[in-house]
Amino acid sequence: QKEVEQNSGPLSVPEGAIASLNCTYSDRVSQSFFWYRQYSGKSPELIMSIYSNGDKEDGRFTAQLNKASQYVSLLIRDSQPSDSATYLCAVNRGSGGSYIPTFGRGTSLIVHP
Amino acid sequence: DADVTQTPRNRITKTGKRIMLECSQTKGHDRMYWYRQDPGLGLRLIYYSFDVKDINKGEISDGYSVSRQAQAKFSLSLESAIPNQTALYFCATSESPVYGYTFGSGTRLTVV
């Protein structure tokens, strides 16, 4: 079992809809959680980070964390065609400052007009 | 200038050749990482370094070596390149695990 799991997609949503991306992780001691967006052929860019259970909102993006169930999700409201990209979930494993980042394989999102 | 610079951007090399990929950063971060990305496999960690004297293997270090020449520079070497090392390679830096990672633009390596 890979340590960070994501559905590969593609997830297709119409413009203006809410896109929901999910991620599960296996290491219960994981502390920090991130969502990256990666356009084809480009490098990943950080869009959200979350550390505590609950929701964290930033503009059209909301990250949700449930440590008991070991999942992280990303909601994108009012999806735009420019949101079409691969979304990578990343989890910091470890302790005592020696955190090692592990990435999921990514979910491809397609927002169609 | 980019915060994290990778050179070269693209490289085609022959099987058996030694090749070095370079990464330099201006962010002043101690933590640096090398990843490779393959279609369908996501980002996989090759090596990481928490400071100049600290080098650690990641999940797929076989066939690779690294050198941390300074806080700002972290190089990845393929001692004897093989075709299944064809991939997109990313360098990343981090100030602290809680702040996430900044990636370079990547090096697309093709081994023929």
Side-chain angles (χ1 to χ4, degrees):
Chain A
Q1 178 190 6
K2 192 165 172 57
E3 294 165 356
V4 180
E5 298 272 6
Q6 296 180 254
N7 287 325
S8 61
L11 173 66
S12 182
V13 300
E15 184 175 357
I18 295 175
S20 178
L21 304 164
N22 299 310
C23 171
T24 59
Y25 60 95
S26 61
D27 190 344
R28 285 192 171 274
V29 300
S30 299
Q31 297 295 320
S32 310
F33 307 86
F34 307 92
W35 283 99
Y36 288 81
R37 178 176 60 201
Q38 185 177 25
Y39 294 111
S40 181
K42 302 297 184 181
S43 58
E45 56 176 325
L46 180 66
I47 54 173
M48 289 288 289
S49 57
I50 188 167
Y51 316 110
S52 304
N53 281 328
D55 296 358
K56 179 181 178 183
E57 186 174 319
D58 183 0
R60 295 187 296 113
F61 298 100
T62 298
Q64 300 175 317
L65 174 60
N66 184 322
K67 290 187 177 181
S69 300
Q70 295 176 242
Y71 81 77
V72 194
S73 62
L74 179 69
L75 302 178
I76 306 175
R77 291 181 299 280
D78 188 24
S79 295
Q80 301 298 309
S82 59
D83 294 326
S84 298
T86 296
Y87 289 81
L88 303 172
C89 173
V91 175
N92 277 347
R93 301 177 297 109
S95 61
S98 297
Y99 295 105
I100 307 303
T102 300
F103 286 80
R105 297 181 182 184
T107 298
S108 175
L109 173 65
I110 299 172
V111 181
H112 53 87
Chain B
D1 290 340
D3 293 328
V4 183
T5 301
Q6 291 185 237
T7 55
R9 291 295 306 274
N10 293 281
R11 179 72 181 267
I12 300 174
T13 192
K14 294 184 177 181
T15 298
K17 293 292 187 181
R18 185 179 189 275
I19 183 171
M20 179 182 289
L21 309 183
E22 298 186 341
C23 176
S24 63
Q25 51 119 343
T26 59
K27 298 186 73 68
H29 292 170
D30 286 327
R31 298 170 185 246
M32 298 187 73
Y33 308 82
W34 274 105
Y35 285 91
R36 66 175 281 177
Q37 188 172 41
D38 301 273
L41 296 180
L43 286 162
R44 293 183 291 166
L45 185 61
I46 306 172
Y47 270 95
Y48 61 99
S49 170
F50 287 166
D51 64 41
V52 174
K53 296 182 180 180
D54 179 73
I55 304 289
N56 303 279
K57 294 182 178 180
E59 61 181 297
I60 55 163
S61 60
D62 287 349
Y64 301 94
S65 63
V66 290
S67 173
R68 184 80 184 266
Q69 300 96 322
Q71 185 203 40
K73 296 183 181 296
F74 193 34
S75 300
L76 176 72
S77 294
L78 285 67
E79 298 302 325
S80 179
I82 56 176
N84 77 358
Q85 291 177 314
T86 293
L88 184 56
Y89 289 84
F90 287 107
C91 173
T93 74
S94 175
E95 175 183 1
S96 162
V98 300
Y99 297 136
Y101 307 89
T102 301
F103 285 83
S105 298
T107 294
R108 186 169 296 280
L109 177 66
T110 303
V111 183
V112 298

